[in-house]
Amino acid sequence: MEVDVVKGFKAIDELKVELLKSLWIFERGAIEGSDKAMMQGLADIVGISYLLTRRLGFDFTRLDRTLIQGLVEWKENDTMKLESQWGDLSLLLSYLAPEE
């Protein structure tokens, strides 16, 4: 049992390192103007977030629900003007949680 706990912590730490690497890849891509690197960094950040969710003992759906609730709150507050200027939050919400 103790070995499993240690392996779990090791996996979480490795995923956190990979998350930082992905952010670095995104930033480097932005500086260099590389769409490919920026998209790879962003995709890795999303994927690693899901893997961390699982390793921390949560369901993927809980992350989805938390994300959607956060986006709804961002839309209501619109402090970054992402909704009022471009409609980004509505677009993302309709993509993630289409109304049926």
Side-chain angles (χ1 to χ4, degrees), residues 22-98:
S22 299
L23 183 57
W24 180 82
I25 289 168
F26 169 76
E27 290 291 333
R28 186 183 69 194
I31 290 168
E32 295 174 354
S34 170
D35 291 356
K36 183 178 179 181
M38 287 189 294
M39 289 305 297
Q40 187 61 59
L42 289 171
D44 290 349
I45 289 167
V46 172
I48 291 166
S49 295
Y50 277 96
L51 294 172
L52 270 171
T53 297
R54 172 85 170 117
R55 284 298 94 226
L56 292 170
F58 302 112
D59 292 327
F60 297 139
T61 56
R62 185 168 177 188
L63 178 61
D64 291 340
R65 288 191 311 269
T66 303
L67 171 61
I68 290 167
Q69 182 57 43
L71 292 170
V72 167
E73 291 172 12
W74 282 11
K75 183 179 173 185
E76 290 170 358
N77 298 329
D78 201 21
T79 56
M80 294 182 280
K81 305 293 186 223
L82 295 172
E83 182 61 24
S84 59
Q85 290 183 6
W86 298 289
D88 288 349
L89 297 166
S90 291
L91 185 62
L92 182 54
L93 283 165
S94 68
Y95 172 76
L96 293 173

Side-chain angles (χ1 to χ4, degrees), residues 10-19 48 51-52 55:
K10 185 175 187 291
I12 290 168
D13 283 343
E14 288 174 355
L15 285 167
K16 291 189 300 187
V17 168
E18 290 301 315
L19 189 61
I48 291 166
L51 294 172
L52 270 171
R55 284 298 94 226

